[in-house]
Amino acid sequence: MEIVVVELCYEGGTVLTDRVLLDRESAQVTLPPRLSSLMEILDQSDQRKSFMAECGSVRFPVEHDRERGYFINFDAASRKKRSSGVEWPVSPTAAQRKLNGRFAHTLSALAVVGACFEMVTTDRLSWASLLEPVILLLLAVVLFIVGHRSFGVESLSE
């Protein structure tokens, strides 16, 4: 017997994470009473999206059978857990892409404010004094486009 972490996701956005007992030989999962009672309550009002167990660095689906109870299907296709901090810049989740877009829009607005501040505080207008505000305005446009692309349709459907 060993302790593994399970994660239940519901359609409404509720996510439960808890520890359960796993018998590797029979693949039987024993749920704690608090998790069983929460699942009964949530199953009445919401649709369960996924029920995954993390064994080592691999995630497996947890299935329910009326005779056997809950068990892990080790034969099912598993996917590797994301290593912390290594894959998120390359393939961010939908929520991370949305936050990156908001951050880019914030930086874009700050670049516009900075360009305006540069223009107002300049003593004499010359080509040299206009260079920094022009660069800031170009940066604002680029950041706005990057932020807008982060809100793509495919990123919000996950």
Side-chain angles (χ1 to χ4, degrees), residues 75-135:
D75 297 328
S78 62
R79 61 184 176 119
K80 296 253 183 200
K81 182 184 175 189
R82 293 178 181 228
S83 35
S84 58
V86 175
E87 287 187 35
W88 70 265
V90 179
S91 59
T93 64
Q96 288 170 336
R97 289 183 75 174
K98 190 174 182 181
L99 288 174
N100 290 343
R102 287 181 180 170
F103 184 64
H105 279 166
T106 302
L107 290 178
S108 174
L110 290 175
V112 169
V113 169
C116 292
F117 182 75
E118 286 284 329
M119 293 292 292
V120 169
T121 58
T122 300
D123 291 336
R124 290 182 243 166
L125 287 178
S126 65
W127 289 108
S129 66
L130 288 177
L131 182 63
E132 191 171 334
V134 168
I135 290 173

Side-chain angles (χ1 to χ4, degrees), residues 20-32:
V20 298
L21 288 175
L22 169 66
D23 182 12
R24 281 233 185 224
E25 294 174 9
S26 65
Q28 182 76 30
V29 175
T30 306
L31 302 176

